[in-house]
Amino acid sequence: MTTDILWFSELGLKDLDRVGGKNASLGEMVQNLTSAGVHVPDGFATTADAYRNFLADSGLDQKIADRLVGLDTDDVTALALAGQEIRSLMRETPFLPDFEAQIRNSYQQLVDKHGGSEDLSWAVRSSATAEDLPDASFAGQQETFLNVRGIENILLAIKDVFASLYNDRAIAYRVHHKFEHAEVALSAGIQRMVRSDVGASGVMFTMDTESGFQDAVFVTSSYGLGEAVVQGAVNPDEFYVYKPALQAGRPAILKRGLGEKALQMTYTTSREIGRTIDFVPVEAALRNRFSLSDDDVEQLARHAVAIEKHYGRPMDIEWGKDGIDGGLYILQARPETVQSRRASGNLSRFRLNGTGRVLVEGRAIGQRIGAGSVRILTSIDQMAAFKTGDVLVADMTDPDWEPIMKRASAIVTNRGGRTCHAAIIARELGIPAVVGTGAATDVLSDGLEVTVSCADGETGVIYEGLLDFSVEETEITQLPEAPVKVMMNVGTPEQAFTFAQLPNHGVGLARLEFIINRQIGIHPKALLNLDSQPADVAADIRERIAAYSSPRDYYIKRLAEGVSTIAAAFA
């Protein structure tokens, strides 16, 4: 009998062709990193051959090929129609009896291994044979279903995972990256759910996503299931952890950034596929606290360093903290696909040559500048109205919109952090994006001409009007040796990682007043005499420092973070 199921404990990177990038990587970590304390929830995977047999034995493979002949993926209406027809065909086609029997048997073994309760919840994840590659992430292209309960729903979810290989975004992404549709197969991973719905979760990179600085782990975190962070539905907390200090056993957190965390994704009581999770508001007291302790942040960073060392390259990692057992679990690990491919020694710098009225600000993605007319989208049905060169503005950028993202001059969202799917895709496409603005869809209007700048550090700015800007290309390795040691003046910690890429012999001057202004933003005397400030000023200060034990604690930690970030960048 053909084996269509493989357990994670049997898998490794050598099995990418058999179970796709995600499942192969999960198996790789189970086999090689468990001894290093990296915990991956248990599970099994269906094979790519099982998927191919499902298509071939039913004749679906030829029907799909025929439907895609001549399809123009830039015609979003035609793309949507083709994708819908293919997915419907796949959902309506029954599994082969032997394949279904193997799934049922493996599921029961997994349930028995975890106590035998039929009320256990599972994740059913997609894993494509051409995903999580060093040169293309395929981030968010196929579906994942969370809090799936019972074997009948597991079977339905697997069918929907298979069908998601022909989501509009997945079809367009393969065409854009020159992958043949028929060459990509899908594996479904069935994995025990980590109870981060009552804990926390997020994404971490083993390098800085914007500058490419490799001595820091960048961690994002929010309450609830990690899909909220991945989708860009929340503005998460952010942490930078300095690898050399971590390895030396010293306090290692360089920077902390408090995110809004207005929503969290949690379980519902429904068992219907697609209705098992939902967003709920986060209470104000929790929003104003960090969603992870410093100890948890440093432990996650240790896991990230161990994973990076094993894979031998920068990594993009999803994690979850179980709110019941308190454990930290690794849910996915894939190669970082943007900064690690950037040509070393080549520096591109975008520079605004004018200024304008600031309309809105947020988190900068990609150190670039773009300009064009605003096009606000609230639904996938509006994609046909989007024109090449428009600035895409949305509450959150759905991965389904990838077919038009590559035509945008810039992207702006109300929600999201620097590790969400939209940010990853924007970086891959070389498009500037400003996420987590809070109110872009209210402040901006259709047809308004704007300039989107991500060229000045962590804050992205949307200016009114089409401003002039230039791009400077410098081959650093070709610069002549200076006759003197050039040391830098640095007073902006958020740009330190980028500045450190320039030829230098260290920092000659770090202006403390500049660091206080950029890192703290509150006069020291106002913090020391908070109770004597005007009521509105005191309220604003208390909101800013809510995550810290006292005004003094806020000042000391933020100042230390600013100095430490500059020191780490030029160490």
Side-chain angles (χ1 to χ4, degrees):
M1 183 177 69
T2 303
T3 300
D4 292 324
I5 302 294
L6 293 168
W7 293 89
F8 290 166
S9 58
E10 302 175 277
L11 297 172
L13 290 182
K14 67 183 186 305
D15 299 301
L16 188 147
D17 288 343
R18 300 175 73 193
V19 295
K22 188 177 297 147
N23 287 334
S25 186
L26 288 170
E28 181 75 13
M29 290 188 290
V30 168
Q31 286 204 46
N32 297 285
L33 292 170
T34 301
S35 60
V38 176
H39 300 296
V40 176
D42 198 13
F44 63 87
T46 65
T47 66
D49 281 344
Y51 169 83
R52 293 189 183 98
N53 293 337
F54 168 61
L55 297 189
D57 291 352
S58 62
L60 280 172
D61 51 357
Q62 190 58 51
K63 292 178 183 177
I64 292 171
D66 292 343
R67 185 63 183 85
L68 292 175
V69 170
L71 176 65
D72 179 5
T73 56
D74 288 329
D75 182 341
V76 293
T77 302
L79 174 63
L81 182 60
Q84 183 180 39
E85 289 178 8
I86 292 170
R87 294 191 299 273
S88 294
L89 280 172
M90 295 179 75
R91 291 190 183 106
E92 293 164 2
T93 303
F95 285 141
L96 298 173
D98 179 57
F99 178 43
E100 180 173 327
Q102 289 184 61
I103 295 172
R104 289 180 180 274
N105 181 57
S106 299
Y107 169 77
Q108 192 57 52
Q109 289 182 54
L110 197 55
V111 169
D112 292 343
K113 188 175 179 180
H114 290 86
S117 171
E118 271 297 313
D119 199 41
L120 290 167
S121 62
W122 310 93
V124 180
R125 301 181 181 277
S126 61
S127 181
T129 55
E131 83 176 350
D132 295 350
L133 303 176
D135 58 350
S137 72
F138 285 73
Q141 297 309 305
Q142 287 85 44
E143 297 291 351
T144 284
F145 298 95
L146 305 177
N147 188 27
V148 181
R149 298 170 187 260
I151 183 57
E152 301 305 326
N153 286 324
I154 292 285
L155 291 166
L156 287 173
I158 293 173
K159 183 73 67 67
D160 279 343
V161 161
F162 283 6
S164 73
L165 191 61
Y166 289 92
N167 280 336
D168 304 351
R169 62 189 185 237
I171 297 171
Y173 193 87
R174 287 194 294 275
V175 170
H176 179 71
H177 286 272
K178 297 180 172 56
F179 283 85
E180 292 293 333
H181 297 295
E183 291 179 1
V184 183
L186 207 62
S187 163
I190 292 79
Q191 185 180 35
R192 180 179 65 84
M193 285 287 294
V194 170
R195 292 301 306 272
S196 54
D197 61 305
V198 289
S201 55
V203 179
M204 55 184 174
F205 283 78
T206 60
M207 67 192 307
D208 178 39
T209 55
E210 305 309 311
S211 68
F213 181 69
Q214 295 203 19
D215 273 346
V217 177
F218 177 46
V219 181
T220 61
S221 171
S222 192
Y223 301 115
L225 299 172
E227 195 67 12
V229 177
V230 171
Q231 287 180 4
V234 297
N235 301 343
D237 297 332
E238 296 182 352
F239 308 87
Y240 282 91
V241 185
Y242 188 45
K243 293 177 186 176
L246 191 72
Q247 291 161 354
R250 301 195 304 270
I253 298 178
L254 290 176
K255 288 196 288 184
R256 302 167 184 83
L258 186 68
E260 184 184 19
K261 306 185 297 294
L263 299 171
Q264 72 181 78
M265 185 178 281
T266 187
Y267 289 179
T268 68
T269 57
S270 175
R271 292 199 172 195
E272 182 182 349
I273 300 299
R275 297 180 182 274
T276 58
I277 53 176
D278 201 2
F279 287 102
V280 298
V282 175
E283 59 183 272
L286 290 176
R287 294 185 198 182
N288 291 329
R289 296 199 328 233
F290 289 110
S291 51
L292 280 180
S293 68
D294 285 359
D295 287 345
D296 283 341
V297 172
E298 292 191 349
Q299 185 58 53
L300 282 170
R302 290 187 193 96
H303 292 338
V305 169
I307 292 168
E308 180 182 52
K309 181 179 179 181
H310 177 76
Y311 283 79
R313 59 176 304 112
M315 299 295 288
D316 167 2
I317 302 161
E318 294 182 25
W319 62 271
K321 179 174 182 176
D322 194 305
I324 295 175
D325 67 22
L328 294 168
Y329 296 87
I330 301 302
L331 308 178
Q332 289 185 39
R334 52 184 167 251
E336 193 276 341
T337 58
V338 179
Q339 292 295 344
S340 54
R341 284 190 291 143
R342 192 179 65 183
S344 61
N346 185 50
L347 182 66
S348 298
R349 184 171 184 185
F350 284 68
R351 185 192 302 274
L352 276 176
N353 299 323
T355 188
R357 185 165 69 97
V358 175
L359 300 177
V360 68
E361 297 181 345
R363 301 291 282 156
I365 307 297
Q367 299 170 335
R368 294 171 174 266
I369 298 172
S373 298
V374 167
R375 178 66 61 188
I376 298 175
L377 295 188
T378 58
S379 123
I380 194 171
D381 299 330
Q382 300 170 322
M383 286 201 304
F386 193 87
K387 298 176 182 177
T388 299
D390 283 348
V391 174
L392 173 58
V393 179
D395 181 46
M396 54 182 277
T397 307
D398 194 308
D400 280 327
W401 298 349
E402 193 274 338
I404 63 167
M405 289 172 70
K406 65 178 181 289
R407 292 166 24 204
S409 61
I411 298 167
V412 182
T413 68
N414 294 341
R415 296 188 279 167
R418 289 165 58 189
T419 58
C420 68
H421 278 145
I424 293 172
I425 299 301
R427 288 192 199 97
E428 284 191 359
L429 296 173
I431 298 169
V434 179
V435 300
T437 63
T441 54
D442 296 325
V443 174
L444 306 178
S445 58
D446 267 342
L448 178 67
E449 293 183 331
V450 298
T451 300
V452 179
S453 176
C454 298
D456 294 307
E458 296 178 354
T459 301
V461 182
I462 293 86
Y463 295 95
E464 185 176 23
L466 302 180
L467 305 182
D468 182 50
F469 65 90
S470 57
V471 184
E472 299 174 1
E473 298 283 352
T474 304
E475 183 60 47
I476 295 176
T477 58
Q478 301 301 314
L479 293 175
E481 186 71 25
V484 296
K485 289 185 177 182
V486 178
M487 304 186 80
M488 301 187 72
N489 290 358
V490 183
T492 52
E494 70 271 21
Q495 291 184 285
F497 294 162
T498 299
F499 289 164
Q501 298 173 27
L502 299 170
N504 70 85
H505 289 85
V507 177
L509 177 66
R511 298 285 296 271
L512 192 62
E513 67 271 31
F514 289 175
I515 297 172
I516 291 171
N517 181 52
R518 298 297 291 252
Q519 191 75 8
I520 297 172
I522 305 170
H523 197 284
K525 285 190 175 181
L527 288 169
L528 288 171
N529 301 285
L530 180 56
D531 292 338
S532 64
Q533 303 305 310
D536 58 336
V537 174
D540 181 45
I541 292 174
R542 287 193 174 93
E543 184 176 347
R544 291 197 197 188
I545 69 173
Y548 297 81
S549 61
S550 68
R552 184 182 297 271
D553 179 55
Y554 172 81
Y555 182 85
I556 292 171
K557 285 185 176 177
R558 294 289 290 176
L559 182 59
E561 289 171 7
V563 174
S564 298
T565 299
I566 294 173
F570 291 88

